[in-house]
Amino acid sequence: ARPRVGYFYTGQTSETLLNEEIRKLTVGDFQSVPIVISEAASAYQAVCEMFVEDVGSLFVIDEKGLLAGVLSRKDLLRTAIGSQDMNQVPVSVIMSRMPNIAYCRQNDTVVDVADLLITKEVDSVPVVHTKGQGFEVVGRMTKTNITKAFVSLGKRK
Amino acid sequence: ARPRVGYFYTGQTSETLLNEEIRKLTVGDFQSVPIVISEAASAYQAVCEMFVEDVGSLFVIDEKGLLAGVLSRKDLLRTAIGSQDMNQVPVSVIMSRMPNIAYCRQNDTVVDVADLLITKEVDSVPVVHTKGQGFEVVGRMTKTNITKAFVSLGKRK
């Protein structure tokens, strides 16, 4: 966009201008690729997948490919220090389960998702499309994506 | 601050204005309380401390109370799925160690710390004061703090 220079009438406070600029940032521009795992996978497989993909959360999908749950590093660490064998625990037992999962859409604003992450006290939410009775996972929005969006705002010239 | 309304001369683009507003946010206004643990503590104790305090990283201090290392959920998860007994592994063996630790100061801008978190690929950095030959840990800046700063910018009226 061409920057406006010098005197300009806004009819707005500078705060409102700031607000407007921030609300132009949408999920579609900042989301990451989602890493998914099957409900039947073990907790051990999930940990390996997290390290291989270098992510802090996995989205668990059912046999139809629809969102069934979310698995965090915290969920896995809790299981790892417990007495159960990580190879014997399916992820479906330790994940956060639908419908108790916060999610967002590609056209949501980044600031609304940031607010959601803080309110729900989670590190990431899936970006979803409605599909039949459920949700297809099309992306991932994390505190890392929010941090990148923040840097992009502050570094603009 | 009193908002400026209507016509105003800036000599700047609206982008520069945005930049200025963002650079007013400093670490001191957004940091959290740091949670520290002794170098001699075990990995198991560290996991427990993380759950009790509900944090994603701990700062490890030496016998003088100075910063010795940083411990993340990822470090602990890696150890937990390994073959060692978590009770027998001291945190000093698995932590990221000084001087290879990113840190910040209370008067740094939030955007510079956000940039540091992304560049160094870490979830948190200690906020430090110089003390003798080392650093005293006075705060914690995480991607959660950045996310809160982002929300505060977007929700201003």
Side-chain angles (χ1 to χ4, degrees), chain B residues 33 63 101 115 119 139 148 153:
Chain B
V33 172
E63 69 286 353
I101 292 172
D115 201 14
T119 308
K148 285 180 181 172
L153 275 180

Side-chain angles (χ1 to χ4, degrees), chain B:
Chain B
R2 253 181 88 194
R4 293 170 289 177
V5 179
Y7 280 101
F8 55 95
Y9 183 68
T10 62
Q12 303 174 326
T13 64
S14 56
E15 294 278 309
T16 311
L17 258 182
L18 177 69
N19 229 300
E20 269 186 14
E21 287 297 320
I22 290 174
R23 300 197 74 86
K24 283 180 194 163
L25 309 180
T26 60
V27 167
D29 293 330
F30 288 92
Q31 68 183 3
S32 296
V33 172
I35 309 298
V36 301
I37 191 167
S38 147
E39 276 188 297
S42 71
Y44 185 81
Q45 286 175 305
V47 174
C48 294
E49 191 69 10
M50 251 182 208
F51 278 103
V52 168
E53 299 287 347
D54 195 24
V55 292
S57 52
L58 298 172
F59 301 122
V60 184
I61 53 172
D62 64 19
E63 69 286 353
K64 291 177 189 156
L66 300 178
L67 179 64
V70 174
L71 206 57
S72 68
R73 248 182 219 144
K74 196 173 166 183
D75 296 327
L76 289 167
L77 189 55
R78 191 184 296 109
T79 309
I81 61 158
S83 53
Q84 291 173 288
D85 179 353
M86 296 281 280
N87 283 297
Q88 301 299 323
V89 182
V91 295
S92 57
V93 172
I94 57 173
M95 68 187 186
S96 299
R97 182 179 291 276
M98 282 291 285
N100 305 314
I101 292 172
Y103 57 84
C104 68
R105 308 275 181 171
Q106 248 163 346
N107 56 355
D108 286 343
T109 65
V110 173
V111 71
D112 283 343
V113 177
D115 201 14
L116 186 67
L117 293 171
I118 295 300
T119 308
K120 299 290 183 180
E121 298 184 355
V122 291
D123 287 332
S124 83
V125 291
V127 185
V128 303
H129 280 325
T130 300
K131 190 182 176 189
Q133 300 294 309
F135 295 128
E136 186 179 27
V137 182
V138 298
R140 174 168 61 101
M141 275 297 281
T142 69
K143 286 175 182 167
T144 303
N145 300 113
I146 307 294
T147 303
K148 285 180 181 172
F150 190 92
V151 172
S152 82
L153 275 180
K155 298 284 169 180
R156 286 197 207 176
K157 284 291 168 283

Side-chain angles (χ1 to χ4, degrees), chain A residues 1 19-26 29 109 156, chain B residues 15:
Chain A
N19 229 300
E20 269 187 13
E21 286 297 320
I22 290 175
R23 300 197 74 85
K24 283 179 194 165
L25 308 180
T26 59
D29 293 330
T109 66
R156 286 199 207 175
Chain B
E15 294 278 309

